[in-house]
Amino acid sequence: MTASSGQPPRLFDRTLLKARRTRAADSFTDYAFLANRAADDLLDRVAAVNRNFETALVIGGGGTVGRALAQRPDVREKIGTLIETDLSPAMAARCEGAALAMDEERLPITDESVDLVLSCLSLHWTNDLVGALIQINRALKPDGFFACAMLGGATLTELRQSLIAAEDEIYGQVSARVSPFADTVDLAGLLARAGFAMPVSDVDRVTVRYGNAFVLMRDLRKMGETSVLDQRSRTPVHRQFFVKTAQIYSERFAEADGRIPAKFEILHAAGWAPHESQPKPLRPGSAKMRLADALGVKETGAGEKAG
């Protein structure tokens, strides 16, 4: 879809996303292994910060952060009030503490009102990721901390290739059926564009093995992570299409024991709301020590290797 002037393109059907998450809510905790992993990693990042947070806001995750926090007294004592949110009211109801239904594309949070924001496998469904990050930055008090986990570009590459091959073979055409995700190298830069200080990013790669592609696709439905592309094909597909997809998946990617791998890439990023007390980058040319001296290595000429 072509965006109107000044507006980001509409990649995702957020109404459909809300419906898919509502459908998944009842059994979500039984299939939330990716969200659980991401929640634990987010809390590790909070644990590494040497300060307490009076008010914390969690975006997405279906209650996984709150449940993980209950098992982490080392982190729980650092957080005062925890409020969990989700786009779907039914998914928000799965949270065990204070929770509300909220659209992260239109964050209804007062500026400079929270000390900590965590986002658990939610932001990859936003149409304007930078815009959502800007709103989160505004919601944080100065020197507030933000950490997020979202699915990255290498997620489900095997399924993507199998779907394309099956559609081409059966229908003689190809359409997007797996959502596009952000790249690792972009995420810290996106935080910087949104005004965060000291942004960092890293990646967690997870491989899950399945008996067949039908079980994988069931898990994606139960997670609420099936594609909601706005420009998805509206042409109905028959069971033959999914049978062919499963066949191609097994033929191309099955391992020695016949099971198929599904790779997920979880991108992590963190940053701080700006504050005058934070370290400022040095002006170009103002360094007082050569990089080689700082690293304790011998400076070499072009084409040489340091010993």
Side-chain angles (χ1 to χ4, degrees), residues 26-48:
D26 286 346
S27 58
F28 177 73
T29 54
D30 295 328
Y31 296 88
F33 57 90
L34 283 180
N36 290 336
R37 183 184 182 106
D40 283 336
D41 284 351
L42 287 170
L43 295 183
D44 286 343
R45 285 157 170 75
V46 176

Side-chain angles (χ1 to χ4, degrees), residues 220-294:
L220 294 174
R221 287 194 301 273
K222 296 292 188 178
M223 294 177 199
E225 292 289 344
T226 51
S227 177
V228 292
L229 285 168
D230 187 66
Q231 294 298 302
R232 64 194 180 277
S233 173
R234 264 62 172 186
T235 303
V237 294
H238 303 287
R239 177 175 172 79
Q240 177 191 8
F241 168 69
F242 296 105
V243 171
K244 176 57 69 173
T245 297
Q247 177 187 341
I248 292 173
Y249 203 132
S250 293
E251 290 173 350
R252 294 188 180 183
F253 302 107
E255 297 176 344
D257 61 357
R259 297 178 69 82
I260 60 169
K263 295 184 179 66
F264 296 90
E265 186 177 64
I266 303 176
L267 307 183
H268 285 272
W272 297 83
H275 188 266
E276 61 183 9
S277 66
Q278 294 165 352
K280 302 296 188 295
L282 294 174
R283 290 179 292 103
S286 64
K288 295 181 173 59
M289 179 181 290
R290 295 182 309 159
L291 179 60
D293 294 337

Side-chain angles (χ1 to χ4, degrees), residues 84-305:
E84 295 187 271
T85 74
D86 200 277
L87 178 64
S88 161
M91 196 68 84
R94 306 299 296 176
C95 302
E96 297 177 2
L100 57 91
M102 182 193 76
D103 186 346
E104 58 267 44
E105 288 196 334
R106 294 183 292 276
L107 202 64
I109 305 297
T110 303
D111 288 357
E112 299 187 3
S113 61
V114 295
D115 303 278
L116 171 68
V117 176
L118 302 175
S119 177
C120 185
L121 299 190
S122 173
L123 291 176
H124 54 268
W125 291 121
T126 56
N127 286 301
D128 181 7
L129 179 54
V130 173
L133 292 172
I134 289 172
Q135 293 181 66
I136 292 169
N137 197 351
R138 289 174 177 167
L140 283 166
K141 295 177 183 177
D143 207 30
F145 184 59
F146 167 66
C148 69
M150 57 188 289
L151 295 180
T155 295
L156 297 175
T157 55
E158 304 91 349
L159 179 60
R160 190 190 313 268
Q161 293 176 45
S162 301
L163 286 165
I164 289 173
E167 186 172 19
D168 183 45
E169 182 173 331
I170 295 175
Y171 301 108
Q173 63 181 30
V174 172
S175 57
R177 294 186 180 274
V178 177
S179 298
F181 299 117
D183 292 328
T184 314
V185 295
D186 293 337
L187 205 46
L190 291 178
L191 261 67
R193 282 179 56 194
F196 284 95
M198 299 175 287
V200 295
S201 63
D202 58 79
V203 60
D204 176 25
R205 294 183 175 89
V206 187
T207 297
V208 184
R209 299 173 75 245
Y210 287 94
N212 57 64
F214 289 105
V215 183
L216 165 60
M217 289 185 279
R218 178 208 63 191
D219 277 15
L220 294 174
R221 287 194 301 273
K222 296 292 188 178
M223 294 177 199
E225 292 289 344
T226 51
S227 177
V228 292
L229 285 168
D230 187 66
Q231 294 298 302
R232 64 194 180 277
S233 173
R234 264 62 172 186
T235 303
V237 294
H238 303 287
R239 177 175 172 79
Q240 177 191 8
F241 168 69
F242 296 105
V243 171
K244 176 57 69 173
T245 297
Q247 177 187 341
I248 292 173
Y249 203 132
S250 293
E251 290 173 350
R252 294 188 180 183
F253 302 107
E255 297 176 344
D257 61 357
R259 297 178 69 82
I260 60 169
K263 295 184 179 66
F264 296 90
E265 186 177 64
I266 303 176
L267 307 183
H268 285 272
W272 297 83
H275 188 266
E276 61 183 9
S277 66
Q278 294 165 352
K280 302 296 188 295
L282 294 174
R283 290 179 292 103
S286 64
K288 295 181 173 59
M289 179 181 290
R290 295 182 309 159
L291 179 60
D293 294 337
L295 297 176
V297 300
K298 181 181 177 180
E299 191 170 30
T300 63
E304 299 177 5
K305 295 182 179 180

Side-chain angles (χ1 to χ4, degrees), residues 40 43 63-76 82 84 96:
D40 283 336
L43 295 183
T64 53
V65 173
R67 288 188 286 274
L69 189 62
Q71 306 301 316
R72 296 284 300 270
D74 60 319
V75 186
R76 189 66 190 92
L82 181 77
E84 295 187 271
E96 297 177 2

